[in-house]
Amino acid sequence: MKRSLLAAPLALVIGLGTVLATTYAEAAPQTDRPTFAAAAKEPSQLMKRKSSGRAALRALGDNVDEAAAANGLSTAEFTALVLDDPSVRVYPTGRIAFADQAVIRPGGGPKKSAAAPQFPESQTFTLNSRPGAKRTIFLDFDGAFVGNSGWNEADDIPSKAYAAFSIDGNFGAFSAAEHEYIQEVWRLVSETYATFNVNVTTQDPGTAAYNRSTPSDTTYGDHILFSDDPDSFPVCDPDDGCGGVAWLDTFDEVNYPGDGDDYYEPSWVRKYDYAFDAAMAASHEIGHTLGLSHDGRTSPKEEYYEGQGAWTPMMGAGFNAIHQFSNGDYKNASNREDDLNVIVNAGGLPRLPDEAGNTLATANSLGARSTYDPIKANISTRADVDYYKVGPCTSAPTFSATGSGMGSALDIRLDVFKNGSSTAIGTNNPTSGQTGSGPEPYTPVGMNASITAGSGAGTYSVKVDGVGNGNPATTGYSDYGSIGSYTLNISGCAAANGTAPGAPTMVGLSNTKAAGTISWTAPASAGTSPITGYRITGLPGGPVETTGTATSKAVTVNGGENFTYQVFALSNAGVSAPGTLTTYVDSWVPTALPAVAVTTKVLTAMIRWAPPANPGGAVLTGWNIREGSSEDDLPLPEFQYGVNASWSTYGKHTLRITPNYTSDTGGAAPGRTVSFLLAVKPSAPRIGKASSGKSGKPVTATAKWAAPGSNGGAAITSYKVIAYKIKKGKVVSTKVSKALGGGARSYKFKLSKGSYKFRVVAYNAKGASPASGLSKVVTAK
């Protein structure tokens, strides 16, 4: 802690008889090259055994900074999390895992899932929410081998095949009730992550689908094991109330050479009486692997907030029907992290492309029909709204939007507009809540919306929005976490359907990096009504529409993987089947600068970095650090998150930090230049021979000194002189001079008459030196 100027005289008075002396080697000009150590998520041993709380911090000792960086946290964030959250366990590698308390519903009653099976029992272990997605969440109910993992290493559990999930204790077969339970857990977890491009599956995809082998591997995810095998209890003991355990921020973890494929896998979920509770526990543990911490409260102080009204934060723990991701906007929130931003930018789970336009002007055109196929889409953020346009209609249509039912986080509001006016002619936003008396899970109500607004012929538009309910400071919730899937049904627009156009053909893409052009050939058949436009989907900014005569459209595209673009022909009689193009788009390097933060300590600097947004899909392979004419290439994964750099001499350092990429189009990314000072406070100035003043006015005495033996690696910027008035051998008062220039070596002090001694303090960019020794006694006169 920096010592204040006002405290200095008092300290010097107390220590009047003590001469403070510190010896430093004079700082030489900076000529040495730094040595580097990884500040990455590497499973090196930082302490002997798993621990928690203050004991964990004591065991880590000087390794706290490295442990923090290994978890992607600042030292302050890491320390606060370890001290404040009793569920946090720090493992020998410095990595954090959360051992979460189970949510146990009070009361008795039948133990069953909340819904009947959606699929035949033969499909229970082949369920996929989004097949083909590069990210995977594997819900594993039929047992798994766990060996050579962090759990085996630190918790000393055996390497073996762990037992499958079972309700009835018969591990040789799954009952009808167990099929029902598993299907419902899959449905609920799929809905929790419905707005992200991830496949939630009960079908074993193999370890390559959820383990990341290299930085260039874009296929990865989570393995969630539902098992109550007693041999795994040292990891998470249900007899002690543990309901699930997961590592922090490992969803996109790169396996190090020599590690097992599953070093940070699986996450464990214990048996719950109800599928809803098991699914919310699984979604919670997945949240940890994506980088999320707990949502609790500061008053009353609690690790998990159970929620309010019908609402519970996903990273809390409660029984309410509506579970949502949160940004901590409820009263006394202990955690205000932006969950959805962390999931995307730290967890590595991308959002799906937007399916509908976000304004009246960009509304998806559906034509004029008396019946429409149901539209299935998502609201993915609080800013996302979906507009659809129908007509010209002969009468006012009815719009009805429904979420996924139990487990839905999306609270839907509908607004209807007519003939392009931006003033809504009707709104429907039922008050949400929950029904039920327990112990079974509550049923959400008021989450859907339906409206027939206006009358007569015209063109109608509907806006689908995710909204909040009530006041988040009391019993409600905001629109922050109101996201998820919905189905929109529209009816009553026109008296006759007509025939929709045929599908566009010959869909193609030409592009130079992000600037692309989608082209197509008009359908062979326009149907019974002229083509009024075309809609293109699969684009990063959401769908776009063109005129009916267009055969191409300038668009923005992303790169580095296969993308699917669809072109629909639009007419008043309806929307065509799509013309589809699935193509690989060449990658390119980012043009934005990386983020770099530097923390210094004596001769070391912890440099933490993060790559910029990467719409071109280039593969990050490492980092280049240049200082003057010397440079080093630091590879991934060892240096994925930063570096600890050490120098042998003090001084100012200017580094150029540049991410290294490989891409299909070549080129180099820009780097960021950072400058920082490695220095310490200077040693004490050397007191010189003080002199008494001359008789007359003003009354003065003069202090003299020599520069410190060491400036601490930074130039001396100023000196201050402290005068001690002496009477009968005791200090009776002190006076401190103004700041003097760095070149000053003497100071004529204006004083009251009497006897004085002087001390001098030097300052550099790091702060104040120890005080010099005391001068001899002189007289101010």
PDB file of all heavy atoms in Angstrom, residues 329-348:
ATOM      1  N   ASP A 329     -29.266  -8.472 -12.198  1.00  0.00           N
ATOM      2  CA  ASP A 329     -30.022  -7.229 -12.022  1.00  0.00           C
ATOM      3  C   ASP A 329     -31.117  -7.359 -10.972  1.00  0.00           C
ATOM      4  O   ASP A 329     -31.963  -6.473 -10.846  1.00  0.00           O
ATOM      5  CB  ASP A 329     -30.601  -6.737 -13.347  1.00  0.00           C
ATOM      6  CG  ASP A 329     -31.526  -7.747 -14.019  1.00  0.00           C
ATOM      7  OD1 ASP A 329     -31.804  -8.804 -13.419  1.00  0.00           O
ATOM      8  OD2 ASP A 329     -31.984  -7.467 -15.151  1.00  0.00           O
ATOM      9  N   TYR A 330     -31.116  -8.449 -10.189  1.00  0.00           N
ATOM     10  CA  TYR A 330     -32.037  -8.554  -9.064  1.00  0.00           C
ATOM     11  C   TYR A 330     -31.393  -7.930  -7.825  1.00  0.00           C
ATOM     12  O   TYR A 330     -30.179  -7.664  -7.796  1.00  0.00           O
ATOM     13  CB  TYR A 330     -32.433 -10.007  -8.812  1.00  0.00           C
ATOM     14  CG  TYR A 330     -31.279 -10.955  -8.576  1.00  0.00           C
ATOM     15  CD1 TYR A 330     -30.785 -11.197  -7.300  1.00  0.00           C
ATOM     16  CD2 TYR A 330     -30.687 -11.627  -9.640  1.00  0.00           C
ATOM     17  CE1 TYR A 330     -29.728 -12.063  -7.078  1.00  0.00           C
ATOM     18  CE2 TYR A 330     -29.626 -12.504  -9.434  1.00  0.00           C
ATOM     19  CZ  TYR A 330     -29.155 -12.716  -8.156  1.00  0.00           C
ATOM     20  OH  TYR A 330     -28.107 -13.568  -7.945  1.00  0.00           O
ATOM     21  N   LYS A 331     -32.170  -7.724  -6.772  1.00  0.00           N
ATOM     22  CA  LYS A 331     -31.700  -7.001  -5.593  1.00  0.00           C
ATOM     23  C   LYS A 331     -30.619  -7.806  -4.857  1.00  0.00           C
ATOM     24  O   LYS A 331     -30.758  -9.000  -4.649  1.00  0.00           O
ATOM     25  CB  LYS A 331     -32.865  -6.713  -4.656  1.00  0.00           C
ATOM     26  CG  LYS A 331     -32.506  -5.811  -3.476  1.00  0.00           C
ATOM     27  CD  LYS A 331     -33.732  -5.488  -2.645  1.00  0.00           C
ATOM     28  CE  LYS A 331     -33.388  -4.578  -1.480  1.00  0.00           C
ATOM     29  NZ  LYS A 331     -34.584  -4.260  -0.655  1.00  0.00           N
ATOM     30  N   ASN A 332     -29.559  -7.108  -4.469  1.00  0.00           N
ATOM     31  CA  ASN A 332     -28.467  -7.678  -3.669  1.00  0.00           C
ATOM     32  C   ASN A 332     -27.752  -8.826  -4.375  1.00  0.00           C
ATOM     33  O   ASN A 332     -27.251  -9.750  -3.724  1.00  0.00           O
ATOM     34  CB  ASN A 332     -28.972  -8.148  -2.295  1.00  0.00           C
ATOM     35  CG  ASN A 332     -29.531  -7.022  -1.452  1.00  0.00           C
ATOM     36  OD1 ASN A 332     -29.093  -5.881  -1.558  1.00  0.00           O
ATOM     37  ND2 ASN A 332     -30.526  -7.327  -0.631  1.00  0.00           N
ATOM     38  N   ALA A 333     -27.689  -8.789  -5.692  1.00  0.00           N
ATOM     39  CA  ALA A 333     -27.012  -9.852  -6.438  1.00  0.00           C
ATOM     40  C   ALA A 333     -25.524  -9.877  -6.096  1.00  0.00           C
ATOM     41  O   ALA A 333     -24.864  -8.837  -6.026  1.00  0.00           O
ATOM     42  CB  ALA A 333     -27.190  -9.647  -7.932  1.00  0.00           C
ATOM     43  N   SER A 334     -24.998 -11.083  -5.887  1.00  0.00           N
ATOM     44  CA  SER A 334     -23.576 -11.232  -5.573  1.00  0.00           C
ATOM     45  C   SER A 334     -22.722 -11.333  -6.829  1.00  0.00           C
ATOM     46  O   SER A 334     -21.496 -11.249  -6.750  1.00  0.00           O
ATOM     47  CB  SER A 334     -23.366 -12.490  -4.724  1.00  0.00           C
ATOM     48  OG  SER A 334     -23.755 -13.652  -5.444  1.00  0.00           O
ATOM     49  N   ASN A 335     -23.346 -11.504  -7.979  1.00  0.00           N
ATOM     50  CA  ASN A 335     -22.601 -11.745  -9.217  1.00  0.00           C
ATOM     51  C   ASN A 335     -23.311 -11.017 -10.347  1.00  0.00           C
ATOM     52  O   ASN A 335     -24.470 -11.317 -10.642  1.00  0.00           O
ATOM     53  CB  ASN A 335     -22.547 -13.258  -9.495  1.00  0.00           C
ATOM     54  CG  ASN A 335     -21.830 -13.580 -10.793  1.00  0.00           C
ATOM     55  OD1 ASN A 335     -21.153 -12.734 -11.381  1.00  0.00           O
ATOM     56  ND2 ASN A 335     -21.969 -14.811 -11.244  1.00  0.00           N
ATOM     57  N   ARG A 336     -22.637 -10.069 -10.947  1.00  0.00           N
ATOM     58  CA  ARG A 336     -23.262  -9.272 -12.003  1.00  0.00           C
ATOM     59  C   ARG A 336     -22.632  -9.538 -13.369  1.00  0.00           C
ATOM     60  O   ARG A 336     -22.691  -8.702 -14.268  1.00  0.00           O
ATOM     61  CB  ARG A 336     -23.191  -7.785 -11.659  1.00  0.00           C
ATOM     62  CG  ARG A 336     -23.924  -7.455 -10.354  1.00  0.00           C
ATOM     63  CD  ARG A 336     -24.065  -5.970 -10.114  1.00  0.00           C
ATOM     64  NE  ARG A 336     -24.687  -5.683  -8.836  1.00  0.00           N
ATOM     65  CZ  ARG A 336     -26.006  -5.678  -8.635  1.00  0.00           C
ATOM     66  NH1 ARG A 336     -26.827  -5.949  -9.629  1.00  0.00           N
ATOM     67  NH2 ARG A 336     -26.500  -5.408  -7.433  1.00  0.00           N
ATOM     68  N   GLU A 337     -22.037 -10.725 -13.539  1.00  0.00           N
ATOM     69  CA  GLU A 337     -21.473 -11.029 -14.843  1.00  0.00           C
ATOM     70  C   GLU A 337     -22.581 -11.202 -15.877  1.00  0.00           C
ATOM     71  O   GLU A 337     -23.699 -11.618 -15.562  1.00  0.00           O
ATOM     72  CB  GLU A 337     -20.597 -12.284 -14.781  1.00  0.00           C
ATOM     73  CG  GLU A 337     -21.329 -13.583 -14.583  1.00  0.00           C
ATOM     74  CD  GLU A 337     -20.389 -14.769 -14.431  1.00  0.00           C
ATOM     75  OE1 GLU A 337     -19.176 -14.615 -14.656  1.00  0.00           O
ATOM     76  OE2 GLU A 337     -20.862 -15.855 -14.052  1.00  0.00           O
ATOM     77  N   ASP A 338     -22.266 -10.882 -17.095  1.00  0.00           N
ATOM     78  CA  ASP A 338     -23.187 -10.989 -18.223  1.00  0.00           C
ATOM     79  C   ASP A 338     -23.130 -12.431 -18.728  1.00  0.00           C
ATOM     80  O   ASP A 338     -22.283 -12.787 -19.545  1.00  0.00           O
ATOM     81  CB  ASP A 338     -22.759  -9.989 -19.307  1.00  0.00           C
ATOM     82  CG  ASP A 338     -23.692  -9.949 -20.499  1.00  0.00           C
ATOM     83  OD1 ASP A 338     -24.410 -10.942 -20.741  1.00  0.00           O
ATOM     84  OD2 ASP A 338     -23.688  -8.936 -21.211  1.00  0.00           O
ATOM     85  N   ASP A 339     -24.038 -13.286 -18.231  1.00  0.00           N
ATOM     86  CA  ASP A 339     -23.966 -14.709 -18.533  1.00  0.00           C
ATOM     87  C   ASP A 339     -23.880 -14.996 -20.019  1.00  0.00           C
ATOM     88  O   ASP A 339     -23.050 -15.800 -20.471  1.00  0.00           O
ATOM     89  CB  ASP A 339     -25.196 -15.438 -17.970  1.00  0.00           C
ATOM     90  CG  ASP A 339     -25.120 -15.678 -16.471  1.00  0.00           C
ATOM     91  OD1 ASP A 339     -24.102 -15.296 -15.863  1.00  0.00           O
ATOM     92  OD2 ASP A 339     -26.073 -16.243 -15.918  1.00  0.00           O
ATOM     93  N   LEU A 340     -24.755 -14.387 -20.814  1.00  0.00           N
ATOM     94  CA  LEU A 340     -24.830 -14.717 -22.238  1.00  0.00           C
ATOM     95  C   LEU A 340     -23.578 -14.276 -22.974  1.00  0.00           C
ATOM     96  O   LEU A 340     -23.104 -14.968 -23.892  1.00  0.00           O
ATOM     97  CB  LEU A 340     -26.073 -14.075 -22.854  1.00  0.00           C
ATOM     98  CG  LEU A 340     -27.409 -14.522 -22.229  1.00  0.00           C
ATOM     99  CD1 LEU A 340     -28.568 -13.766 -22.857  1.00  0.00           C
ATOM    100  CD2 LEU A 340     -27.601 -16.017 -22.365  1.00  0.00           C
ATOM    101  N   ASN A 341     -23.005 -13.151 -22.571  1.00  0.00           N
ATOM    102  CA  ASN A 341     -21.757 -12.697 -23.181  1.00  0.00           C
ATOM    103  C   ASN A 341     -20.613 -13.637 -22.823  1.00  0.00           C
ATOM    104  O   ASN A 341     -19.769 -13.962 -23.668  1.00  0.00           O
ATOM    105  CB  ASN A 341     -21.439 -11.276 -22.716  1.00  0.00           C
ATOM    106  CG  ASN A 341     -20.175 -10.739 -23.336  1.00  0.00           C
ATOM    107  OD1 ASN A 341     -20.079 -10.575 -24.544  1.00  0.00           O
ATOM    108  ND2 ASN A 341     -19.179 -10.464 -22.509  1.00  0.00           N
ATOM    109  N   VAL A 342     -20.570 -14.111 -21.579  1.00  0.00           N
ATOM    110  CA  VAL A 342     -19.526 -15.044 -21.169  1.00  0.00           C
ATOM    111  C   VAL A 342     -19.647 -16.349 -21.951  1.00  0.00           C
ATOM    112  O   VAL A 342     -18.640 -16.910 -22.417  1.00  0.00           O
ATOM    113  CB  VAL A 342     -19.616 -15.319 -19.650  1.00  0.00           C
ATOM    114  CG1 VAL A 342     -18.677 -16.460 -19.245  1.00  0.00           C
ATOM    115  CG2 VAL A 342     -19.268 -14.064 -18.865  1.00  0.00           C
ATOM    116  N   ILE A 343     -20.854 -16.855 -22.120  1.00  0.00           N
ATOM    117  CA  ILE A 343     -21.057 -18.114 -22.844  1.00  0.00           C
ATOM    118  C   ILE A 343     -20.499 -18.028 -24.258  1.00  0.00           C
ATOM    119  O   ILE A 343     -19.842 -18.950 -24.743  1.00  0.00           O
ATOM    120  CB  ILE A 343     -22.556 -18.472 -22.872  1.00  0.00           C
ATOM    121  CG1 ILE A 343     -23.020 -18.911 -21.480  1.00  0.00           C
ATOM    122  CG2 ILE A 343     -22.851 -19.563 -23.888  1.00  0.00           C
ATOM    123  CD1 ILE A 343     -24.520 -19.089 -21.356  1.00  0.00           C
ATOM    124  N   VAL A 344     -20.733 -16.903 -24.922  1.00  0.00           N
ATOM    125  CA  VAL A 344     -20.290 -16.747 -26.314  1.00  0.00           C
ATOM    126  C   VAL A 344     -18.801 -16.448 -26.393  1.00  0.00           C
ATOM    127  O   VAL A 344     -18.056 -17.109 -27.135  1.00  0.00           O
ATOM    128  CB  VAL A 344     -21.101 -15.640 -27.018  1.00  0.00           C
ATOM    129  CG1 VAL A 344     -20.531 -15.347 -28.401  1.00  0.00           C
ATOM    130  CG2 VAL A 344     -22.565 -16.047 -27.118  1.00  0.00           C
ATOM    131  N   ASN A 345     -18.338 -15.469 -25.624  1.00  0.00           N
ATOM    132  CA  ASN A 345     -16.986 -14.952 -25.822  1.00  0.00           C
ATOM    133  C   ASN A 345     -15.926 -15.663 -24.998  1.00  0.00           C
ATOM    134  O   ASN A 345     -14.752 -15.687 -25.390  1.00  0.00           O
ATOM    135  CB  ASN A 345     -16.960 -13.455 -25.525  1.00  0.00           C
ATOM    136  CG  ASN A 345     -17.801 -12.657 -26.497  1.00  0.00           C
ATOM    137  OD1 ASN A 345     -17.705 -12.858 -27.693  1.00  0.00           O
ATOM    138  ND2 ASN A 345     -18.645 -11.783 -25.998  1.00  0.00           N
ATOM    139  N   ALA A 346     -16.284 -16.217 -23.854  1.00  0.00           N
ATOM    140  CA  ALA A 346     -15.314 -16.969 -23.061  1.00  0.00           C
ATOM    141  C   ALA A 346     -15.533 -18.467 -23.201  1.00  0.00           C
ATOM    142  O   ALA A 346     -14.585 -19.241 -23.250  1.00  0.00           O
ATOM    143  CB  ALA A 346     -15.407 -16.562 -21.590  1.00  0.00           C
ATOM    144  N   GLY A 347     -16.797 -18.883 -23.276  1.00  0.00           N
ATOM    145  CA  GLY A 347     -17.094 -20.299 -23.350  1.00  0.00           C
ATOM    146  C   GLY A 347     -16.921 -20.910 -24.722  1.00  0.00           C
ATOM    147  O   GLY A 347     -16.757 -22.119 -24.846  1.00  0.00           O
ATOM    148  N   GLY A 348     -16.986 -20.108 -25.762  1.00  0.00           N
ATOM    149  CA  GLY A 348     -16.792 -20.632 -27.106  1.00  0.00           C
ATOM    150  C   GLY A 348     -18.019 -21.272 -27.700  1.00  0.00           C
ATOM    151  O   GLY A 348     -17.922 -22.140 -28.571  1.00  0.00           O
TER     152      GLY A 348
END
